[in-house]
Amino acid sequence: MKALALGALALLGAPAQATDYYGTTEPFASNAIYFVMTDRFVNGDTSNDHRHQGGAHPTFDIPVKGPDGQSANIGYLGGDFKGILDNAGYIHGMGFGAVWITPIVDNPDQAFTGGKAVSFGSSFTDQGKTGYHGYWGDNFYKVDEHLESKGLSFSQFTAKMRQQGLKTVLDIVVNHGSPAYDMPAAQPKFGQLFDKDGKLIADHHNLPPDQLDPKDPLTAFFHRKAEMVQLSNFNEDNPAVIDYFVGAYQKWIDAGADAFRIDTIMWVDNAFWKTFSDRIRAKHPGFFMFGEAYDYNPAKIAPHTWPQNGAISVLDFPLKAALDKVFAKGEGFEALTPALYLDKGPYQNPYQLTTFYDNHDMPRMNASDNGFVDANNWLFTARGIPVIYQGSEVGFMRGAAEHAGNRNYFGQARIDAAPKSPIYQNLKRVGQLRAANVALQKGLQLDLKLQGNEAQFLRVYQHQGVNQQALVVLNKGDKVLDTTARGPLQTGNWVDAVSGETIRVKEGLALRVQPHSLRVLLLDAPVTDPALAKALNRLMARPVDHKSGE
């Protein structure tokens, strides 16, 4: 009966079901992400600063002096939830739909006395440093005292952020806790772990991993192998460990976290992540997660994206390396092609990768204003979910590494002055452009030309009755670009996304793009051009190369 009815509709000339074309249908891909290191963003409430915390090992405002008046800081500087919420309009106004915040869990209340002393520009050094960053958790069920304010708990913060049009991406850690050994004398909370009731359930006893007593139940949470620097290394093979972290992070989802960014995902076995993601998504189906697999080899990071390993997306480090070549060092757009994997590749879905050019764990991109403008034009029109680190909208501390100013306090004054920056001005335009057009968020990407200072590509989204094609032309050169539209390209009356002008588009159309700028033309119509359909069908059939990740 059903088949007969469908046949009758066909005879009556009802339109056939349109072919699906999309890069992803992941709901979270609609959101560009603004990354906030909470303590270093804005101090919205000085009453939670705890400026006298730490006793003999104080925690507030610990400068690290460098040459020529440069400095970094390894103490708390006061940033909190209120500082973010107060500037939600600023963030959303740039086109962002989500804010990634650093870990919110409780960290030790003193500066660490073990390890090697931090000096300006040093790496893998923690002596004298505090847990201002949030990655030294000692109780993953408790919010750190520096973050909340009266009337602004974490759950209230996420609810109010949602009212401002912003989702919350919570940074989570599973593989390590706080620094755990090499202290002249044991310090409170360092190397310790507490449960939801505040009970001590694990303790490193200020001993190196290979000296832990296997008969001591308080050491069962830890591996007997060293982690990075002196960090405690949780034993993911212990069922109590996964129960602890699933319980903790379910709590924060229930309090309003919309997605997770997973720290140091490569340091924990895939079997753990498969179990973890299954248990999280059993209660919260489709919950989006992306991990930090700090490696520039796609074969090493792609396996995290596979279903058998938990279907967790990753930060796109291989593309980050290519972005640096193109936008900081002046190479042509062709240098991006090998990192895109649009036709085939090791990623389960490259459109769900989070794309970025710098963050808090590496030197900030050392580019000119125009380099940042060009990089943002790419990130917000090309495949992936763009992530911008706080301050990059004005070129803050460009080129600086972690202990050389990368994490310096941003502050309200810089936010208030941001509209004067050409980087900010352009980011706001292209960010709002992405936020308004589904093809730029989720559409298939068909490259037409990536060469020298010119990039030309299509983004096509056709799914569940929504149809949009976007022709994107980028010019990262210092001169006006006069070019022609390449094919396959559907002839029709397209609309310039910026000016609103209607343009009769066809292959060979002459287009002019100003220096360090872009043109985006839109056609809200289904795909009818045979050559275009053929090219899109090939992209939709993109195979996943699982062998390359083994």
Side-chain angles (χ1 to χ4, degrees):
M1 179 72 77
K2 187 175 181 180
L4 181 61
L6 289 172
L9 285 172
L11 289 172
L12 291 171
Q17 181 75 33
T19 303
D20 273 343
Y21 296 123
Y22 54 80
T24 179
T25 58
E26 166 58 52
F28 207 85
S30 299
N31 306 289
I33 301 170
Y34 187 77
F35 169 38
V36 168
M37 175 159 271
T38 306
D39 179 72
R40 301 306 171 87
F41 189 57
V42 171
N43 188 348
D45 177 9
T46 58
S47 71
N48 61 16
D49 287 357
H50 300 278
R51 296 189 178 211
H52 303 293
Q53 187 181 68
H57 309 293
T59 61
F60 193 84
D61 192 10
I62 307 171
V64 180
K65 300 296 184 180
D68 303 320
Q70 299 178 80
S71 68
N73 204 295
I74 53 175
Y76 286 90
L77 293 178
D80 46 35
F81 293 158
K82 189 174 187 302
I84 300 173
L85 183 61
D86 286 348
N87 290 284
Y90 167 79
I91 297 169
H92 189 256
M94 288 185 284
F96 293 99
V99 177
W100 153 19
I101 60 173
T102 39
I104 64 172
V105 300
D106 191 52
N107 276 230
D109 302 332
Q110 296 181 345
F112 181 55
T113 59
K116 295 180 180 178
V118 175
S119 60
F120 188 82
S122 65
S123 300
F124 299 104
T125 53
D126 283 337
Q127 187 185 119
K129 193 173 180 178
T130 66
Y132 71 88
H133 42 71
Y135 295 96
W136 290 356
D138 58 66
N139 187 337
F140 291 77
Y141 287 83
K142 179 183 177 183
V143 176
D144 191 86
E145 66 274 10
H146 295 85
L147 301 176
E148 294 180 322
S149 299
K150 184 178 181 180
L152 193 62
S153 65
F154 177 67
S155 61
Q156 290 168 322
F157 167 74
T158 59
K160 290 181 179 181
M161 288 289 279
R162 240 181 245 117
Q163 291 170 8
Q164 297 288 324
L166 293 168
K167 296 180 172 65
T168 300
V169 179
L170 182 61
D171 204 327
I172 70 168
V173 188
V174 163
N175 87 298
H176 70 263
S178 60
Y181 57 96
D182 197 41
M183 293 166 277
Q187 296 178 260
K189 296 187 180 181
F190 283 99
Q192 296 181 324
L193 187 69
F194 299 86
D195 69 8
K196 60 184 175 60
D197 299 316
K199 176 185 175 184
L200 179 68
I201 57 172
D203 195 337
H204 228 278
H205 303 300
N206 197 21
L207 294 172
D210 59 358
Q211 294 181 25
L212 295 177
D213 182 356
K215 297 180 181 178
D216 182 352
L218 287 177
T219 68
F221 258 66
F222 306 118
H223 276 299
R224 268 55 180 175
K225 59 184 180 182
E227 236 285 358
M228 296 176 287
V229 287
Q230 288 77 37
L231 296 174
S232 57
N233 186 1
F234 294 127
N235 179 9
E236 69 270 24
D237 298 325
N238 181 346
V241 170
I242 193 164
D243 287 345
Y244 179 88
F245 284 109
V246 168
Y249 292 129
Q250 290 277 21
K251 172 180 177 175
W252 302 126
I253 296 174
D254 292 341
D258 296 290
F260 287 158
R261 179 266 187 186
I262 301 173
D263 188 64
T264 53
I265 192 172
M266 292 181 73
W267 292 72
V268 180
D269 290 344
N270 286 330
F272 177 97
W273 292 121
K274 172 62 172 155
T275 301
F276 179 85
S277 63
D278 284 352
R279 288 177 64 176
I280 291 291
R281 289 170 178 153
K283 188 174 179 182
H284 304 277
F287 191 80
F288 186 68
M289 298 181 253
F290 62 97
E292 176 224 14
Y294 201 137
D295 198 300
Y296 294 100
N297 182 350
K300 296 287 185 64
I301 71 175
H304 296 291
T305 70
W306 303 344
Q308 63 266 37
N309 294 332
I312 297 169
S313 187
V314 290
L315 285 154
D316 195 346
F317 279 86
L319 181 61
K320 176 262 179 286
L323 294 172
D324 200 60
K325 291 178 182 178
V326 174
F327 301 113
K329 298 176 181 175
E331 294 189 23
F333 274 110
E334 63 273 13
L336 299 179
T337 301
L340 297 178
Y341 295 100
L342 301 177
D343 298 306
K344 62 179 180 180
Y347 303 112
Q348 190 68 28
N349 189 334
Y351 294 87
Q352 292 174 198
L353 303 181
T354 43
T355 54
F356 69 107
Y357 46 70
D358 62 15
N359 64 28
H360 60 318
D361 287 330
M362 59 179 63
R364 285 179 178 263
M365 187 168 72
N366 193 13
S368 65
D369 283 6
N370 284 334
F372 277 96
V373 166
D374 296 331
N376 292 333
N377 283 343
W378 170 270
L379 277 186
F380 283 77
T381 57
R383 74 104 173 110
I385 303 171
V387 180
I388 299 294
Y389 179 28
Q390 67 182 44
S392 290
E393 68 268 29
V394 296
F396 180 61
M397 299 305 300
R398 63 190 84 193
E402 177 188 345
H403 292 146
N406 172 297
R407 301 181 179 183
N408 282 3
Y409 184 74
F410 192 46
Q412 192 64 50
R414 290 189 179 91
I415 290 173
D416 294 342
K420 300 176 183 177
S421 166
I423 304 173
Y424 168 91
Q425 293 163 8
N426 183 80
L427 175 58
K428 185 173 183 176
R429 282 193 296 267
V430 74
Q432 291 179 350
L433 194 63
R434 184 187 190 273
N437 293 287
V438 67
L440 300 181
Q441 302 164 8
K442 303 179 183 181
L444 278 176
Q445 180 169 328
L446 175 62
D447 287 345
L448 305 176
K449 180 182 181 182
L450 297 183
Q451 187 67 41
N453 290 329
E454 180 183 357
Q456 190 177 141
F457 52 90
L458 284 168
R459 301 294 304 276
V460 180
Y461 185 87
Q462 184 167 291
H463 182 60
Q464 294 183 342
V466 178
N467 306 298
Q468 188 175 67
Q469 302 174 44
L471 172 63
V472 179
V473 186
L474 307 179
N475 176 16
K476 72 180 190 74
D478 295 329
K479 298 179 180 179
V480 170
L481 172 68
D482 287 307
T483 188
T484 57
R486 297 191 166 217
L489 189 61
Q490 188 161 309
T491 300
N493 293 323
W494 296 54
V495 175
D496 187 301
V498 175
S499 71
E501 176 189 3
T502 298
I503 300 172
R504 183 67 179 173
V505 171
K506 60 180 180 179
E507 191 172 337
L509 172 73
L511 290 169
R512 171 166 287 192
V513 187
Q514 295 301 311
H516 306 289
S517 189
L518 78 166
R519 296 284 299 276
V520 177
L521 305 181
L522 301 172
L523 178 66
D524 293 340
V527 173
T528 57
D529 182 87
L532 176 59
K534 182 178 179 181
L536 297 174
N537 288 336
R538 175 177 55 81
L539 293 175
M540 283 295 290
R542 173 190 175 277
V544 179
D545 182 5
H546 287 130
K547 291 184 179 180
S548 68
E550 294 176 352

